[in-house]
Amino acid sequence: MAIKTVPTQPFNDQKPGTSGLRKKVTVFQKPHYLENFVQSIFDSLQGYKGQTLVVGGDGRYYNRQAIQIILKMAAASGFGRVMVGQFGILSTPATSCIIRKYNTFGGIILSASHNPGGPDGDFGIKYNISNGGPAPEKVTDAIYASSQSLNSYKILEAPDVDLDKLGESKLDNMVVEVIDCVADYAELMESLFDFNSIRKLLTNGHFRMCMDSLHAVTGSYAHNIFEERLGAPKNTVINGTPLEDFGGGHPDPNLVYAHQLVEILFGENAPDFGAASDGDGDRNMILGRHFFVTPSDSLAILAANAKLVPGYSSGLTGIARSMPTSQAPDRVAAQLGIECYETPTGWKFFGNLLDADKATLCGEESFGTGSNHIREKDGLWAVLFWLNILAVRQQSVEEIVKEHWQTYGRNYYSRHDYEEVASDRANTLIENLRSAMPSLKGKQFGSSQVEYSDDFSYTDPIDGSISQKQGVRIGFTDGSRIVFRLSGTGTQGATVRIYLESYEPDPAKHNLDPQDALGNLIAIADEIAQIHTLTGMEKPTVIT
Ligand code: G1P
Ligand code: ZN
């Protein structure tokens, strides 16, 4: 088999965002586009010759073609072995699990997470390092730098590998091992959670759950774990067949896009527990009967109940949350006498804290929760954690959340997204806020007074690296906050995200609709940032 060196020219838009490189499928299909980025990844790495790479994706359109290209390029660059998920499938958490379990050099994940798929949808590629986590900024910066000076790439001329058949084959000198995409991950889950208690709960004849895989990657995992290993009835998992276009849906587990599940859980004769996960299986949404658990509360509740779960019964070393996530977990950390770290948005910032054992649980308001068991957020892990708590406490989701608020107070929280805003308008909005920052301190808006205003900057406590301009924060003297930032994962125009939070200690006031409880802050956010005027939009595209 011959190795071909193909001349190419740099693309100037290959800078990885919050989570890898995400573009329209049609962009990735441009001649050399994917190949350039893959070569840039390999060129930025050192010492990988003869080593093992893990490759898999969420099964979206272009997944299989991309995997064939990557396999042939990995062989041409001198990798010794590639472990690839059967049918090209590996969820993001399963990839992280496999990298760690088999001590591989790294992994490539093909996904645009919760973004829609199909020929007109999105595609993405992300490199994970040997700890199983997303490449940190110094690596993604190096990848981008390589992409900007690239003039050729190497690819093996060879027939496609059969991705459907388990077992080993060879591409030139490199071994390709097609692996079961579920087994290693399911075993890890069995080692963390009390499967016997969860099985009892799921088969006791009255508890019912519904898991919505949104036609995305967790279908394969959820059928195996909930229905086969834990004995839940066959119809427990809905939309459980991974499809290349996610059935035309938007595989994002929130109240807007997981509407079928929401209708079931808020309908008549609703099940006790509902959950959904996203395109690549790292996000989760948790619902009780007629009840929604905000992701920030979910993290706080998992932390407060961790001692009930075998994998965490010896206690937590710390908690970490992204800056825009509500401060509910901070209250649990204070009570447990452990640290709560505040990091910029994006899972890559948790890696160092987890490696140094400074944090055990991590989470983001964007439906991401996880722990030190891998180095990615993990949707089904969060679902199993909740089931384990429900099995031990024998209470409803609503009761558990409300008791939590009684103990710690309630952090009312909401995120408003304005999607597909023209980039120049979105940039103006953020620039205006940055210029207004110095004059905001002490300013009165109705009954709220600004205590501080800054652009969040983070110094990693382990390696000292500094990440600046991570979101404009406006804090008020009563503890409430507004945060503004631009999305780093969108592929069309810009998305402005506005995060709103206020704290209510009084249990008599815990039953408000968050949009009402946060009404004042929502109005202040518009007054300060002129959101409606600048975006030309009446209301947010998505409220979570
Ligand atoms: C979004 C979320 C962020 C998450 C990322 C990847 O990034 O806000 O918390 O880590 O997706 O799932 P953003 O589009 O805001 O940059
Ligand atoms: Zn995802």
Side-chain angles (χ1 to χ4, degrees):
M1 285 182 237
I3 293 175
K4 202 164 73 170
T5 301
V6 182
T8 188
Q9 284 183 344
F11 292 92
N12 61 12
D13 63 348
Q14 296 201 323
K15 192 172 176 58
T18 311
S19 189
L21 185 69
R22 281 192 201 166
K23 302 282 172 197
K24 291 271 163 221
V25 167
T26 47
V27 173
F28 273 102
Q29 286 171 326
K30 286 199 276 195
H32 313 311
Y33 194 88
L34 174 70
E35 290 86 343
N36 269 24
F37 191 71
V38 172
Q39 190 67 54
S40 307
I41 295 176
F42 295 161
D43 287 352
S44 69
L45 305 175
Q46 271 158 17
Y48 63 80
K49 300 263 177 198
Q51 301 282 320
T52 302
L53 183 73
V54 181
V55 178
D58 63 9
R60 67 178 59 223
Y61 186 83
Y62 201 54
N63 190 49
R64 281 176 176 262
Q65 293 91 322
I67 288 179
Q68 297 293 349
I69 291 172
I70 293 168
L71 291 176
K72 291 170 196 173
M73 290 186 68
S77 283
F79 274 95
R81 174 182 287 262
V82 171
M83 298 170 79
V84 57
Q86 191 181 20
F87 315 119
I89 296 274
L90 279 181
S91 75
T92 290
T95 310
S96 187
C97 157
I98 290 163
I99 293 173
R100 293 172 68 76
K101 181 166 175 179
Y102 298 102
N103 289 314
T104 75
F105 189 86
I108 291 180
I109 301 175
L110 300 165
S111 171
S113 189
H114 49 286
N115 296 6
D120 301 318
D122 288 351
F123 193 75
I125 172 166
K126 184 171 96 154
Y127 181 70
N128 280 30
I129 58 174
S130 61
N131 73 352
E137 272 183 340
K138 63 173 189 302
V139 177
T140 53
D141 286 348
I143 295 172
Y144 179 58
S146 301
S147 80
Q148 293 311 288
S149 59
L150 195 74
N151 50 35
S152 68
Y153 61 83
K154 288 206 291 259
I155 186 159
L156 190 73
E157 287 188 304
D160 282 357
V161 174
D162 182 354
L163 297 176
D164 299 347
K165 206 167 122 253
L166 292 173
E168 293 187 359
S169 61
K170 286 202 98 177
L171 261 186
D172 204 12
N173 291 323
M174 187 182 87
V175 177
V176 179
E177 183 185 357
V178 178
I179 57 170
D180 182 306
C181 51
V182 179
D184 293 305
Y185 176 80
E187 271 171 33
L188 177 60
M189 293 302 109
E190 291 214 52
S191 75
L192 295 171
F193 301 108
D194 183 350
F195 268 40
N196 285 334
S197 300
I198 300 175
R199 190 177 299 110
K200 272 191 204 139
L201 177 75
L202 292 177
T203 55
N204 69 8
H206 47 90
F207 182 92
R208 283 180 300 134
M209 83 172 264
C210 181
M211 169 75 214
D212 189 350
S213 287
L214 293 170
H215 290 301
V217 79
T218 62
S220 322
Y221 297 81
H223 280 302
N224 180 286
I225 293 174
F226 299 118
E227 297 176 359
E228 285 165 38
R229 294 181 191 238
L230 289 167
K234 280 285 171 246
N235 54 3
T236 298
V237 180
I238 60 171
N239 302 319
T241 305
L243 299 177
E244 285 197 331
D245 65 349
F246 309 118
H250 201 134
D252 201 358
N254 61 38
L255 294 173
V256 178
Y257 296 126
H259 49 85
Q260 186 186 350
L261 180 77
V262 172
E263 276 152 33
I264 293 172
L265 266 290
F266 284 83
E268 266 176 52
N269 193 24
D272 304 271
F273 180 67
S277 53
D278 73 331
D280 61 332
D282 56 359
R283 294 186 173 199
N284 74 91
M285 176 169 72
I286 301 294
L287 301 175
R289 179 183 294 136
H290 300 181
F291 197 82
F292 166 65
V293 186
T294 66
S296 302
D297 278 348
S298 180
L299 173 62
I301 291 163
L302 299 191
N305 290 279
K307 59 180 183 311
L308 306 178
V309 174
Y312 306 89
S313 56
S314 59
L316 309 176
T317 59
I319 306 174
R321 64 161 174 84
S322 68
M323 180 274 284
T325 301
S326 100
Q327 295 164 91
D330 304 43
R331 297 180 180 277
V332 177
Q335 168 103 58
L336 293 173
I338 56 177
E339 194 71 36
C340 187
Y341 296 89
E342 188 176 41
T343 59
T345 297
W347 208 260
K348 59 185 174 226
F349 293 101
F350 294 134
N352 278 351
L353 294 169
L354 293 168
D355 283 350
D357 208 17
K358 294 210 173 278
T360 310
L361 298 188
C362 313
E364 295 193 277
E365 52 64 44
S366 51
F367 298 84
T369 340
S371 88
N372 59 355
H373 68 294
I374 53 171
R375 294 295 180 272
E376 289 277 4
K377 55 189 179 253
D378 190 345
L380 294 181
W381 168 90
V383 178
L384 287 164
F385 206 128
W386 265 96
L387 283 170
N388 201 147
I389 294 172
L390 292 170
V392 176
R393 290 188 51 173
Q394 298 286 323
Q395 288 172 291
S396 71
V397 171
E398 179 171 355
E399 281 163 350
I400 289 173
V401 175
K402 289 193 166 164
E403 268 185 28
H404 185 89
W405 292 339
Q406 267 173 21
T407 311
Y408 297 94
R410 177 170 183 185
N411 289 71
Y412 278 107
Y413 187 81
S414 184
R415 181 175 109 183
H416 290 193
D417 289 342
Y418 291 81
E419 296 177 326
E420 295 192 25
V421 178
S423 297
D424 53 341
R425 284 169 173 244
N427 289 329
T428 306
L429 186 149
I430 297 291
E431 280 316 319
N432 288 353
L433 283 168
R434 289 199 176 116
S435 343
M437 263 172 354
S439 62
L440 283 176
K441 193 174 170 188
K443 223 172 169 174
Q444 198 77 31
F445 293 88
S447 58
S448 305
Q449 194 185 24
V450 177
E451 183 175 283
Y452 68 87
S453 153
D454 62 8
D455 201 343
F456 182 58
S457 160
Y458 178 67
T459 305
D460 186 293
I462 313 301
D463 66 17
S465 59
I466 298 173
S467 304
Q468 283 169 321
K469 297 195 171 179
Q470 297 294 322
V472 173
R473 308 191 288 185
I474 302 174
F476 297 86
T477 49
D478 62 0
S480 50
R481 294 195 306 172
I482 308 174
V483 176
F484 299 87
R485 60 179 283 283
L486 297 184
S487 158
T489 57
T491 55
Q492 195 103 349
T495 295
V496 182
R497 304 205 195 281
I498 299 150
Y499 309 80
L500 306 134
E501 176 182 6
S502 71
Y503 178 65
E504 179 53 70
D506 181 359
K509 297 182 187 155
H510 282 170
N511 287 321
L512 296 178
D513 178 330
Q515 301 309 315
D516 296 333
L518 297 164
N520 276 341
L521 278 184
I522 294 169
I524 296 172
D526 192 47
E527 187 179 339
I528 298 180
Q530 295 292 306
I531 306 157
H532 297 139
T533 315
L534 278 170
T535 62
M537 291 158 82
E538 279 296 309
K539 53 181 176 45
T541 339
V542 179
I543 295 182
T544 49

